[in-house]
Amino acid sequence: MTVATRHTDRRGLLAGALALGAGALLTPKAAFAMVGEKRLAFRNVHNNERIDARYWGASGFDADGLAEINHGMRDWRTGDVTTMDRDLIDLLVALRDKLGASPRSSFDLISGYRSPQTNASLHARSNGVATKSQHMLGKASDIALPGVRLETLRTAALSIGRGGVGYYPRDGFVHVDTGRVRTW
């Protein structure tokens, strides 16, 4: 090890120790504030309903924002609402950020939550709909992002490496979910 390397290693160790010490001084509320706000925007393509909800802020998860997202991602056929998986919401935000889109950029939502009745009906008409779909668990969404090629959206979703990614270019959407990592 050269003298220059030892100095670099010491500097890195010192910088890490200072960062750790500064982090320990932060209260949990201050630590949340450092993360900033998180929001999700989308337009349901079936009813043209638009949602732009702040679901995370200085105090952590925002119940009103989450409720707005849950309502917006409801089964549009039946009106049934479920609690959408927070990891899915974070995955959508990570995907939007990975693509360099603005936090106010709106996904086109083709499908969010699906009631068991809706899922059974879709499965009966198509062999591409799973009988135990992640949509029924509030853990999946079918999306597009205006101005972003579907192939680019798919590539970005795959690069995140969290959950399933389905590619449906003929139907105009990418499926993302928080189940096990898989592709189709």
Side-chain angles (χ1 to χ4, degrees):
M1 182 182 294
T2 67
V3 172
T5 304
R6 273 190 300 229
H7 287 298
T8 302
D9 290 343
R10 285 185 197 141
R11 275 189 289 246
L13 184 60
L14 180 59
L18 287 172
L20 183 61
L25 295 174
L26 294 174
T27 64
K29 190 169 186 172
F32 282 134
M34 287 179 57
V35 175
E37 103 172 352
K38 291 184 187 177
R39 56 187 324 111
L40 179 63
F42 55 89
R43 177 186 68 92
N44 185 310
V45 300
H46 302 288
N47 60 18
N48 209 33
E49 184 175 87
R50 293 181 181 275
I51 301 295
D52 183 354
R54 183 187 78 107
Y55 71 93
W56 177 272
S59 299
F61 283 105
D62 180 321
D64 291 338
L66 289 170
E68 189 176 352
I69 291 169
N70 292 339
H71 180 77
M73 295 185 87
R74 71 190 178 281
D75 184 330
W76 63 271
R77 291 171 180 89
T78 65
D80 292 347
V81 177
T82 195
T83 300
M84 297 303 291
D85 182 19
R86 290 177 182 178
D87 289 339
L88 174 66
I89 297 167
D90 282 339
L91 173 61
L92 291 169
V93 169
L95 182 55
R96 181 201 62 214
D97 292 348
K98 178 104 178 152
L99 292 163
S102 158
R104 300 270 183 175
S105 294
S106 212
F107 283 103
D108 280 346
L109 178 69
I110 289 80
S111 183
Y113 172 66
R114 281 191 212 140
S115 67
Q117 298 84 356
T118 294
N119 201 74
S121 174
L122 291 172
H123 177 72
R125 292 188 309 221
S126 166
N127 65 1
V129 175
T131 57
K132 298 193 188 275
S133 171
Q134 295 290 311
H135 286 278
M136 294 191 309
L137 303 173
K139 294 183 173 203
S141 61
D142 298 335
I143 54 166
L145 188 59
V148 175
R149 293 180 53 227
L150 268 177
E151 185 177 329
T152 303
L153 181 61
R154 174 184 177 258
T155 300
L158 290 170
S159 74
I160 292 173
R162 291 170 31 197
V165 178
Y167 184 49
Y168 297 89
R170 284 188 352 176
D171 298 319
F173 68 85
V174 172
H175 167 99
V176 294
D177 68 51
T178 56
R180 64 183 169 77
V181 175
R182 65 214 186 285
T183 61
W184 62 95

